[in-house]
Amino acid sequence: MNDTQLKDLKKEVKKRRTFAIISHPDAGKTTITEQLLLFGGAIRQAGTVKAKKTGKFAKSDWMEIEKQRGISVTSSVMQFDYQDKRINILDTPGHEDFSEDTYRTLMAVDAAVMVVDSGKGIEEQTKKLFKVCRMRGIPIFTFMNKIDRDGREPLDLIEELEEVLEIDAYPMNWPMGSGKTLLGLYDVFHNRIEVLRPDSHNHGERFISLTDEGEIEGDHPYQNESLYNQVLEDALLLKEAGNEFSREAIAKGELTPVFFGSALTNFGVQTFLETFLQFAPEPTDQDTEDEKVVSPTDEDFSGFIFKIQANMDPKHRDRIAFLRICSGRFERGIDVTLSREGKKMRLSNSTQFMAENRESVSDAVAGDIIGLYDTGNFQIGDTIYSGKDKIEFKDLPQFTPELFVRVEAKNVMKQKSFHKGINQLVQEGAIQLYKSYHTEDYIIGAVGQLQFEVFEHRMKNEYNSEVVMTSIGSRIARWIDPKQLDENMGSSRNMLVRDRFDQPLFLFENTFAMRWFSDKYPDVELTSLL
Ligand code: G4P
């Protein structure tokens, strides 16, 4: 790269903001995503992303399961420009589409936006996803949604957030009323009021600026409102008793800035986006297995695969591998090495993701996500690089599965393709495999039901092996030190199995069974993955 090219690379990287939106189903993730896309001009009409959910816009050439569920690859990464930034939003599927991919996606982002339903507070799925973000130490921004409805008290919500998630919170704004009485947002951070419905009273201005004491200068709609005074009091209390604003604490993921707003009525969303962009990090350094650091502005291209999505078209066995670029510049046709095998390959068939259609990538830099058409070369966690020196990024973590099924080949004569399929899908990271201790039954584990459906579908279509799956239900998986293992410890309530690295673990029926076990064997330490 010459000086101009390097300068250009640095400029481009600086513009990137790559994040995921995490939430419990129905908190409003789709709605806020759509508003953000509208601001970025990536879609023209509200309802576009939503329509995809119901299948109206589903493309015809993607995996059947995806189509039935109406989720599409095109909406799993959304890229658009806003002001001078290039934004990549990575979707984290929820509901029944929840899978290990949902967790792994969080390995490929530099920040997370947590959308919370302010009527409900912190819910289960948010907690799980939050835990993964916290483990990575990435900045987490909170959007308390649905303030157009009567919800819970803001102070109550902040308190719950801090307590349940064990993170400090800093309210960036404060709702003035709620539901029908909502007047606006007291924008603590910018020291102004964001008016709910600008009218002739305030000359149609969206914002009313305040003095240092939080007073409105001159004539204004709320001067004598007791509500406004109440908000001011709360806000002052917060300033005195609450956490201090700290850019460093946000960057480390120790303090979450909290924005109240309403995605549906598009109130507070733009301010959120603009403030978020101010504090969200640009792509950062990535650690490698041999403790080296790859900088996003390193000249050589590198990246890792965090998700593989199978194509449904039986005529084309190809899949799409999602790659997060970590350094350099991707150009179509670039020659790279697949680190795991030392295999050289040319990346000529790649795609970039937009909200409405897939486009061919011309070039992309660190922070961007590209899709590589894959005919079976890639595994989840793979590193590819273009330089001479080998790069191997740290392994992606494994997540503790929660659902289990016993699996066998429908046709006993077809054991070979059954084993081949299972082994390849396990290696690829689509599913986790266990064997029961004495009977050597195959048990597969997943974090979401979708993984089983994809497994079944791919076994049939890619390996010509129909499978029979018998649910064992939801279980709590806990590993134990092999030295402490006594095979009599297993029972139907705490099934003893081995993982693919031959490590023993118990699948407990419920927390009660796990507690019972711990009481009986107090010296046995039970551990989980993430
Ligand atoms: P999700 O992706 O997190 O699952 O949530 P989604 O955006 O689909 O929103 C879930 C429901 O909450 C939707 O209503 C949506 O319109 C509503 N919603 C989202 N943001 C707000 C908000 O700020 N205020 C209010 N009052 N509602 C909000 P739905 O009835 O399930 O769907 P729809 O028929 O309205 O599309």
Side-chain angles (χ1 to χ4, degrees), residues 23-32 50 53 95 115 117 143 145-149 261-266:
S23 72
H24 191 81
D26 280 341
K29 190 179 62 169
T30 314
T31 312
I32 196 166
K50 197 129 213 143
K53 258 189 172 174
H95 299 258
V115 178
D117 182 334
F143 190 85
N145 194 24
K146 306 196 185 182
I147 58 159
D148 57 298
R149 278 194 195 158
S262 159
L264 188 68
T265 60
N266 194 12

Side-chain angles (χ1 to χ4, degrees), residues 18-62:
T18 302
F19 64 97
I21 304 184
I22 61 172
S23 72
H24 191 81
D26 280 341
K29 190 179 62 169
T30 314
T31 312
I32 196 166
T33 304
E34 206 160 81
Q35 297 294 4
L36 300 179
L37 293 175
L38 278 169
F39 289 131
I43 53 170
R44 281 172 296 281
Q45 187 189 346
T48 313
V49 177
K50 197 129 213 143
K52 274 192 182 132
K53 258 189 172 174
T54 60
K56 206 166 131 202
F57 282 78
K59 300 257 153 96
S60 59
D61 57 343
W62 294 97

Side-chain angles (χ1 to χ4, degrees), residues 129-405:
L129 294 164
F130 175 87
K131 210 171 116 191
V132 179
C133 297
R134 198 65 209 270
M135 181 261 324
R136 286 202 55 218
I138 55 172
I140 301 163
F141 297 75
T142 306
F143 190 85
M144 287 285 182
N145 194 24
K146 306 196 185 182
I147 58 159
D148 57 298
R149 278 194 195 158
D150 286 325
R152 288 170 48 184
E153 284 296 318
L155 265 178
D156 188 29
L157 287 163
I158 299 273
E159 224 170 70
E160 184 189 74
L161 188 155
E162 290 197 324
E163 244 174 65
V164 175
L165 301 180
E166 294 175 6
I167 187 169
D168 290 340
Y170 183 88
M172 302 291 274
N173 63 16
W174 205 248
M176 303 169 67
S178 70
K180 286 199 183 71
T181 64
L182 185 69
L183 292 175
L185 283 164
Y186 179 85
D187 186 339
V188 187
F189 188 71
H190 296 100
N191 198 32
R192 64 188 182 187
I193 290 171
E194 184 158 358
V195 184
L196 180 60
R197 284 184 204 86
D199 56 19
S200 53
H201 219 102
N202 53 30
H203 314 291
E205 294 288 330
R206 248 181 77 209
F207 299 106
I208 300 174
S209 46
L210 303 173
T211 65
D212 289 347
E213 290 76 39
E215 301 284 334
I216 297 173
E217 283 168 7
D219 192 22
H220 65 85
Y222 310 128
Q223 197 146 40
N224 301 316
E225 284 271 356
S226 59
L227 183 60
Y228 171 67
N229 293 331
Q230 178 65 46
V231 170
L232 195 64
E233 230 170 79
D234 283 353
L236 286 176
L237 189 84
L238 274 176
K239 267 193 184 156
E240 275 170 32
N243 297 305
E244 273 197 30
F245 182 82
S246 153
R247 211 182 169 122
E248 294 80 61
I250 295 174
K252 285 192 210 147
E254 290 165 0
L255 178 79
T256 178
V258 181
F259 301 77
F260 287 85
S262 159
L264 188 68
T265 60
N266 194 12
F267 184 54
V269 182
Q270 194 166 5
T271 305
F272 160 72
L273 174 63
E274 287 169 9
T275 320
F276 167 76
L277 290 178
Q278 217 179 316
F279 294 105
E282 57 187 73
T284 45
D285 294 347
Q286 295 275 346
D287 297 333
T288 65
E289 279 295 345
D290 52 358
E291 308 300 327
K292 283 199 212 107
V293 170
V294 171
S295 156
T297 52
D298 284 353
E299 290 183 25
D300 290 327
F301 165 80
S302 71
F304 65 87
I305 285 157
F306 61 94
K307 168 170 166 165
I308 291 177
Q309 194 135 5
N311 192 342
M312 60 154 269
D313 190 340
K315 290 198 291 293
H316 304 277
R317 282 255 192 104
D318 61 344
R319 294 168 269 178
I320 285 213
F322 287 67
L323 179 112
R324 148 91 196 207
I325 302 179
C326 299
S327 69
R329 196 181 263 279
F330 173 83
E331 270 152 18
R332 205 206 297 238
I334 192 169
D335 289 313
V336 296
T337 308
L338 173 62
S339 191
R340 177 171 43 85
E341 295 181 333
K343 186 171 167 178
K344 306 257 186 259
M345 50 175 72
R346 176 163 291 180
L347 304 180
S348 43
N349 216 347
S350 53
T351 184
Q352 202 161 21
F353 304 100
M354 299 293 273
E356 279 182 297
N357 45 28
R358 277 179 283 138
E359 293 191 350
S360 231
V361 205
S362 42
D363 76 334
V365 302
D368 290 336
I369 311 297
I370 53 172
L372 304 171
Y373 288 95
D374 173 34
T375 47
N377 286 317
F378 299 125
Q379 289 180 12
I380 283 160
D382 272 347
T383 300
I384 55 177
Y385 59 92
S386 72
K388 283 195 194 71
D389 296 333
K390 178 175 170 153
I391 297 177
E392 176 103 42
F393 291 113
K394 280 202 180 333
D395 272 348
L396 297 184
Q398 280 211 330
F399 301 94
T400 308
E402 291 171 17
L403 301 171
F404 296 86
V405 298

